[in-house]
Amino acid sequence: MLSIFDGLRSISLASILLRMVLAVICGGIIGLEREYKRRPAGFRTHILICLGAAMTTLTSQYLYLYMHYYTDMARLGAQVVAGIGFIGAGCIIVTRRRRVKGLTTAAGLWAAAVIGLCLGGGFYEGGIFATILILAAEMFFSKLEYRVLDNAPEINLYMEYTNKDCLENVLKLFRELNLKVLNMEITRSTETEKHNACAIFSLQLNKRCTVAQVLSGVNATEGVISVEEL
């Protein structure tokens, strides 16, 4: 433990101010990265959650130490950990292409709440170090994730196309690239021109073929309207 914080472990005006300010700073740092990427929960949301969690821990300590309400000090904090799930669930959506979005944002909100609990309880080191690691995970580890995904042995593709001949040409392309189709789901187009036929492929790649090559080849096939990796 860092000795610089030893005088601020107990409840005092200075420690309360420090804990609340650190909650705003740490929550804001995490929220800035989400705001920069235009995610649904951004700068202010993370600040409010982190600050609210810190106040929950401070209130528990105040009730126990000064009001002499002999209850479980961790009870309010436990409700924060459970209750933040409702906010996190609001950030998670499943698109019509069966793509899940918002998981990282929801996890960041939950982590911001836990950091607030740490700071509110006077565990300054844990809150600060966790903020640094979370920021590193969201900003720098994402590049490693993209590199791993680019060399993934299996991928899922969503494709919109115009006619049956186009679908047969795409399947022929997969055979030429020596790709194994693990699963395929097809939705037929309606009689109107507003809706196109679509297909979802689960493909097993070989070592000589990359995701970019597959996307480029499918996109160049006549009749393909759009294609993207899920």
Side-chain angles (χ1 to χ4, degrees), residues 1 10 51 63 70 76 92 99 106 130 195 201 209 221 229:
M1 306 296 284
S10 60
L51 181 59
L63 292 177
Y70 294 105
L76 288 177
I92 302 173
R99 191 171 188 176
H195 300 281
F201 302 101
C209 186
T221 304
E229 182 184 2

Side-chain angles (χ1 to χ4, degrees), residues 160-228:
E160 291 187 4
Y161 59 99
T162 56
N163 51 58
K164 183 179 178 181
D165 293 336
C166 173
L167 180 61
E168 292 178 352
N169 291 333
V170 170
L171 293 176
K172 181 180 178 181
L173 173 66
F174 292 159
R175 290 192 294 269
E176 292 175 353
L177 294 175
N178 196 23
L179 305 180
K180 183 178 180 181
V181 180
L182 303 175
N183 189 31
M184 180 174 62
E185 298 180 21
I186 299 175
T187 302
R188 302 292 182 183
S189 60
T190 61
E191 298 297 331
T192 63
E193 298 180 354
K194 295 182 179 179
H195 300 281
N196 301 307
C198 62
I200 298 177
F201 302 101
S202 294
L203 304 174
Q204 185 176 29
L205 305 182
N206 55 63
K207 295 182 179 179
R208 294 172 296 178
C209 186
T210 64
V211 178
Q213 290 175 337
V214 176
L215 291 175
S216 177
V218 174
N219 203 36
T221 304
E222 183 178 357
V224 174
I225 298 174
S226 65
V227 61
E228 65 178 71

Side-chain angles (χ1 to χ4, degrees), residues 2 38 86 139 160 188 219:
L2 299 177
R38 297 186 180 277
F86 290 98
M139 293 185 64
E160 291 187 4
R188 302 292 182 183
N219 203 36

Side-chain angles (χ1 to χ4, degrees), residues 2 21 28 36 52 54 58 74 80 84 90 94 97-98 100 113 122-124 132 146 173 183 190 199 204 224 228-229:
L2 299 177
V21 170
Y36 177 75
L58 282 168
V80 170
I84 197 64
V94 181
R97 302 178 183 181
R98 299 186 181 181
V100 180
F123 186 23
Y124 304 106
I132 296 173
Y146 295 147
L173 173 66
N183 189 31
T190 61
Q204 185 176 29
V224 174
E228 65 178 71
E229 182 184 2

Side-chain angles (χ1 to χ4, degrees), residues 20-120:
M20 294 175 66
V21 170
L22 281 178
V24 171
I25 294 174
C26 292
I29 289 174
I30 299 174
L32 271 178
E33 189 275 338
R34 296 285 89 189
E35 190 81 35
Y36 177 75
K37 294 183 177 179
R38 297 186 180 277
R39 296 301 187 263
F43 182 64
R44 291 178 298 172
T45 304
H46 281 78
I47 287 179
L48 292 176
I49 288 177
C50 193
L51 181 59
M55 284 304 303
T56 301
T57 308
L58 282 168
T59 302
S60 298
Q61 294 179 355
Y62 177 79
L63 292 177
Y64 182 81
L65 296 175
Y66 293 95
M67 300 301 293
H68 303 295
Y69 294 162
Y70 294 105
T71 59
D72 186 2
M73 292 177 61
R75 181 173 296 178
L76 288 177
Q79 299 306 311
V80 170
V81 175
I84 197 64
F86 290 98
I87 299 178
C91 299
I92 302 173
I93 60 173
V94 181
T95 66
R96 67 183 182 91
R97 302 178 183 181
R98 299 186 181 181
R99 191 171 188 176
V100 180
K101 291 187 175 183
L103 284 174
T104 303
T105 302
L109 290 173
W110 182 82
V114 175
I115 289 174
L117 293 176
C118 289
L119 296 174

